Amino acid sequence: MKKFGKGIASFLGPKIFRSVHDLLHDMADYILPRHCLICGRRLSSAEEFVCSVCFLYKPFNPLFHDNRDNYLSKLFYGAIPIEKAQAIMRFRPNTDMANIIYSLKYNNNPDVGVFLGRVAAKILSDSNFFDGIDYIVPMPLTKKRRSWRGYNQCERIANGVSEVTGIPINTHCVSRMSFHCSQTHLDYIQRQDNVQNNFKASNTSALEGKHILIIDDIVTTGATVKSCGREIARVVPNIRISVLAMGFASAL
Ligand SMILES: [Zn+2]
């Protein structure tokens, strides 16, 4: 009898739990409706961040056919030991697609990062983009910026990528210092130098001879990723580096 009761409980338990979970989820959607980050349409309870109609148009795709030789990877030639580089959307300010990144960076919506990371990992896995990569290194934020935002959006993207690929995340090997002075009155070269001296590699013993994937949200000129990668490569000369951006903002 006891065994029978236990059997019923194990049979009904997950179902009951799922029903209650679904009911709460539907109630939350009714009270606080969620909307598609691309088109603004109200989401159904089964949809997450982007509606199924927008997904039909495949808004996220590998931006380049070749993971190694492309406009993004070329930004890093001769500056860091670059292996592969990819992005999953072309970023243009004030577009529907840009809303996704704005939501992640400025609307206190860290789960969007995890969502984007999962999407990127799924669509790039087919091209073997993640093969041979030992660690994911999200671009660090300064303490001040992290405190202001409440989270590092690149870490959230890394969480999603790691969840799908199983590649571990290393957030301890490089940190980012605050600027000692405002950049406003500096010329282009001075700004580059200011950015370049802004990263500090440490606790890098685990990275010796490894292949890391630096993750950033948007890459424009590549100067920040280059500075970060250069600092890591300065301390770990035999490192190999790949780069994954959610958006590439170059006009090319
Ligand atoms: Zn939509």
Side-chain angles (χ1 to χ4, degrees):
M1 184 66 188
K2 196 176 176 184
K3 194 176 177 184
F4 177 74
K6 199 174 175 182
I8 289 286
S10 62
F11 176 72
L12 287 177
K15 282 196 167 184
I16 290 172
F17 178 77
R18 205 176 303 124
S19 310
V20 171
H21 177 270
D22 289 350
L23 182 66
L24 290 173
H25 199 263
D26 288 347
M27 282 173 65
D29 270 348
Y30 182 75
I31 298 165
L32 286 170
R34 300 168 303 127
H35 296 89
C36 172
L37 293 176
I38 295 177
C39 72
R41 194 177 69 84
R42 186 166 171 172
L43 295 174
S44 73
S45 57
E47 294 170 331
E48 190 185 27
F49 299 112
V50 174
C51 75
S52 47
V53 176
C54 284
F55 256 119
L56 276 179
Y57 290 96
K58 297 194 172 181
F60 308 107
N61 282 296
L63 207 53
F64 308 105
H65 293 298
D66 190 328
N67 287 326
R68 294 179 182 273
D69 184 14
N70 58 55
Y71 286 120
L72 184 57
S73 65
K74 282 176 182 168
L75 293 179
F76 308 109
Y77 281 5
I80 60 175
I82 188 74
E83 292 274 328
K84 296 177 265 189
Q86 264 295 2
I88 61 165
M89 65 172 121
R90 192 170 295 287
F91 182 84
R92 293 190 179 92
N94 306 312
T95 60
D96 290 341
M97 291 300 285
N99 288 340
I100 297 175
I101 300 296
Y102 297 147
S103 181
L104 170 62
K105 292 180 77 168
Y106 305 112
N107 286 353
N108 190 28
N109 212 344
D111 290 345
V112 173
V114 181
F115 164 75
L116 283 174
R118 282 189 205 127
V119 169
K122 283 173 187 166
I123 64 175
L124 293 176
S125 291
D126 289 343
S127 70
N128 303 322
F129 181 76
F130 298 101
D131 287 5
I133 292 172
D134 299 295
Y135 291 105
I136 296 168
V137 177
M139 279 292 290
L141 293 182
T142 63
K143 281 183 183 173
K144 190 176 174 184
R145 180 53 64 99
R146 188 190 178 106
S147 163
W148 174 81
R149 185 168 291 137
Y151 56 91
N152 176 349
Q153 73 277 9
C154 296
E155 274 183 36
R156 299 309 170 113
I157 297 167
N159 290 147
V161 173
S162 179
E163 195 181 288
V164 174
T165 61
I167 301 170
I169 300 171
N170 186 322
T171 56
H172 308 295
C173 62
V174 63
S175 55
R176 193 169 183 174
M177 262 57 81
S178 296
F179 289 117
H180 295 298
C181 58
S182 165
Q183 298 234 99
T184 313
H185 302 294
L186 302 180
D187 64 23
Y188 178 78
I189 299 296
Q190 288 170 322
R191 283 186 193 207
Q192 297 295 304
D193 287 345
N194 212 2
V195 168
Q196 189 171 331
N197 297 325
N198 219 29
F199 293 93
K200 179 70 185 163
S202 56
N203 306 312
T204 53
S205 56
L207 303 187
E208 294 289 340
K210 302 292 187 188
H211 181 178
I212 63 167
L213 175 66
I214 295 181
I215 287 187
D216 203 359
D217 48 8
I218 300 297
V219 168
T220 306
T221 65
T224 318
V225 171
K226 213 183 287 180
S227 303
C228 179
R230 199 181 274 150
E231 167 64 7
I232 296 173
R234 183 185 68 79
V235 180
V236 189
N238 57 0
I239 195 120
R240 287 166 293 140
I241 300 176
S242 287
V243 175
L244 173 60
M246 295 301 98
F248 183 36
S250 166
L252 291 169

